[in-house]
Amino acid sequence: MTASVPLPNPTVRTAVRPRISLTTWLADLTYTQQTISAETMPQAVGGLATYAATKLDLVHPIRVFKYPEALASALEEDGPPDVIGFSHYIWNSHLSLAFAELIKKRFPETTVVFGGPHYPLRLPDQTDFWHERLAGRVDFYVDGEGEPAFAELLDTLNEFACTDVRGYVPGVHCLADDGTLHAPPPRVRIHNLSSVPSPYLSGLMDEFFDGKLVPTVQTNRGCPFKCTFCQEGTQYFQRVAKKHEQQIRDELHYIGRRMKPLVEAGSARNELLITDSNFGMFPEDHETCRVLAECQQLYGWPRVVNVTTGKNQRDRVLSAVAQLPGAISLSGAVQSLDPDVLRNIARSNIDAGKLMEIALAAADAGAGTYSEVILALPGDSKAKHLGTLRQLVDAGFDRLNMFQLTLLPGSEMCTEEYRRKHGLVTRWRVMPRCYGTYTVLGEELSAAELDEVCVTVPDMSYEDYRECRLMDLLLASLYNGGVFAVLLAVLRAHQISPMTWLECVRTLAHGSALTAVLKEFGAETDNQLWEERGRLLSYATENIDQYVDGHLGNNLLYTYRTRILSEALEDTADVAARACLAVLRDIGVGVGGGTQIEALVREAADYHRLTLSEIFRTDPPEALRQTARFDLDALLAAARRRENVRDPRRFRYTEAGVREFVLTGDQQRTLRTYLGQFGTTPWGVGRLLTKVRLPDIVRHVRMSPGPGTAPAPAGTGTPTT
């Protein structure tokens, strides 16, 4: 196609930066009404602004927005910009589109640009996406990396009309008047990530150190792996571009200085998010961890570093994170341990066994460990999913994060040919926390985000899917974070898998509170899923208040885990003890009749109940008490040293004592900070439990002086096997 006006070669055409008179805004929007759904600082769009400023002479500095309310106020008070760009992710797509639609209606001369990973891979799917979602709202979509393409687009728009530049800027898509999609391929990716100046060091992020948002950095970009469910699994992102060590150092110290007073005042979460896909796997990551250790010493920040650790290079990963004891949990994100499933999702260049070795070696060094499992992957079945969970808990991971399979538009898995090949049956649901209503230019905008999840594959029926979801909930509630750590130590001492215990918990009778919670979980699992995207979107936008008030649209695993550990805590402790005794009995261990092993199990279950009792309140009781007949702390310490803890007499006090369960001042401050941000509702506490390690907030245990530990008299209930 030939443009109506001949175009010069755009972007920096001479050594002098082109002078740009356009007013430009960038928005990385998040929902804010139930809570801040995407609480990361807008450093990605900030990078678009700083890169453009190095290539162009901007008469008007680019403005950056995170909160919808701030963007609405700017439109009202300052009038529209010439160009506005929106980040486009799965968690803010419809919110951004709602703003874009209103802007185009009220200010048709404003050019609207979108960019981000929430965009299909194939041209036919891209064309459909434009006609179904973008047409009339969006002028241009940046496909691939955004910094050079957006700068070039600004340069071109400064000289030519919007309609005259269609199809000319590499990687910038747009729809012609006749409905044809101009989709030039994306430009070559950035080789040196330091060519994007830091939005922190430029001061562009200063206004976002508000105690609500978490600092976010990227030290490298790209991923050498090819997972079909991930947008970075495509060929375009195979090469890894890195940032210079000095820029990383300067950036982290700058953030640390800004975070120090916020953390000391208890007005901000003591966290950092690193968006790298394989942190620790590259030599430069060792230096990054050393700098972070400096920041901890100088600023008391960050206490927690949220990052996905590398999938290979075990020794390098371990060496890097060892510099930050307790700050980084090592990931063994296997997704599945079934060979056929792994082949179907193109993880053949990732050794699942090596992933497990990385995490478990970290456990030996005292670091937290977790693994990730995705339900209903291509080739999955109920037996394969539960088998993967069994292998992971038997390997000793502290925590398993179980996810549903979400089909992302920018991934190979979302293509029509892949769906057909693997028999994926999907449903739509409203994404947790991603909904809200905003008043903009006198009009009310309601928006909600949807994701498409797989619920059936050829060897997994919907009923199997439901049963797997229930087992995921029980594992998250009773296993993750060592909720019943003493019971797990006893089970493992007798070579009983924690999954055998959880399966017994599933089949035993439950108390009324736990029965009600599990029944409601099953009902909500069904009710959240819709066959038709359009019908769900209409329903959600018409019932936004129901979602914001927490009656609909919650993350079910998080919410119901909270309910199990709060309103059904007594029932949960009871069935945990009964199931433990039942599986011990099944292998011939003598229980019942007042045996020592039964006394230990029941005391341990009540011990764990008390550590969790009423901690998710803004005014928790100061101290709780329990009669102590066994030294449970000594048992756990011995288990961590991998000593034999089969004989309960070894841990029996000669005289009963009293335990007190208390929340320390630091714990209370941490809980107040998070409860203040997320609230005390089940869905708010569920979110808290994704940000804080459970062992960090359960009640501390202290003994009244007096009792000593000594073997009980002979013949008082020796366990038999």
Side-chain angles (χ1 to χ4, degrees), residues 478-711:
L478 278 74
Y479 176 87
N480 278 357
V483 173
F484 290 99
V486 175
L487 301 190
L488 293 174
V490 170
L491 293 167
R492 285 178 166 136
H494 290 85
Q495 287 78 54
I496 298 173
S497 169
M499 277 299 290
T500 300
W501 167 63
L502 290 171
E503 288 164 351
C504 185
V505 168
R506 170 75 180 96
T507 58
L508 289 177
H510 305 139
S512 59
L514 182 57
T515 297
V517 169
L518 296 180
K519 182 178 180 180
E520 290 175 34
F521 174 77
E524 276 211 71
T525 296
D526 296 335
N527 293 337
Q528 275 197 347
L529 302 172
W530 292 57
E531 288 190 38
E532 297 180 24
R533 176 182 174 275
R535 286 186 60 219
L536 175 56
L537 188 59
S538 296
Y539 178 85
T541 53
E542 292 168 4
N543 294 275
I544 289 295
D545 288 347
Q546 292 288 305
Y547 287 90
V548 172
D549 291 343
H551 302 299
L552 298 171
N554 297 309
N555 183 306
L556 297 188
L557 282 187
Y558 297 165
T559 299
Y560 280 87
R561 181 191 184 199
T562 299
R563 293 186 61 187
I564 284 173
L565 297 180
S566 52
E567 62 192 79
L569 182 58
E570 289 194 17
D571 286 354
T572 302
D574 172 67
V575 74
R578 287 189 289 116
C580 183
L581 294 172
V583 296
L584 287 168
R585 187 181 300 112
D586 288 344
I587 65 166
V589 175
V591 298
T595 60
Q596 296 277 4
I597 192 75
E598 179 172 8
L600 171 65
V601 166
R602 294 197 179 279
E603 182 174 318
D606 198 47
Y607 167 97
H608 288 299
R609 177 186 69 82
L610 289 166
T611 63
L612 286 164
S613 183
E614 299 185 276
I615 65 172
F616 304 122
R617 288 173 38 179
T618 54
D619 58 341
E622 184 174 335
L624 303 171
R625 291 173 178 80
Q626 177 195 38
T627 300
R629 295 181 174 84
F630 294 90
D631 191 341
L632 302 182
D633 293 328
L635 186 151
L636 288 173
R640 284 192 293 271
R641 295 190 300 269
R642 300 185 181 177
E643 298 175 8
N644 190 331
V645 298
R646 289 168 67 103
D647 189 346
R649 295 176 303 172
R650 175 182 170 190
F651 306 101
R652 179 83 185 218
Y653 285 127
T654 53
E655 298 178 14
V658 175
R659 285 191 191 92
E660 290 189 334
F661 300 80
V662 298
L663 288 172
T664 67
D666 285 345
Q667 287 180 309
Q668 292 184 55
R669 282 189 291 274
T670 296
L671 285 164
R672 279 197 300 269
T673 298
Y674 282 88
L675 292 172
Q677 183 165 346
F678 298 140
T680 58
T681 60
W683 51 93
V685 174
R687 187 86 187 283
L688 178 155
L689 290 175
T690 69
K691 305 298 180 183
V692 182
R693 293 191 327 127
L694 191 61
D696 291 340
I697 58 173
V698 298
R699 291 176 179 274
H700 280 217
V701 181
R702 63 191 184 199
M703 291 292 300
S704 61
T709 305

Side-chain angles (χ1 to χ4, degrees), residues 268-300:
R269 287 154 43 195
N270 197 344
E271 298 178 24
L272 170 69
L273 172 64
I274 300 177
T275 61
D276 301 9
S277 297
N278 294 281
F279 187 74
M281 209 171 80
F282 304 103
E284 297 84 354
D285 298 333
H286 192 279
E287 174 63 15
T288 299
C289 287
R290 191 187 68 78
V291 174
L292 285 170
E294 285 180 359
C295 291
Q296 288 180 327
Q297 291 295 317
L298 290 171
Y299 317 117

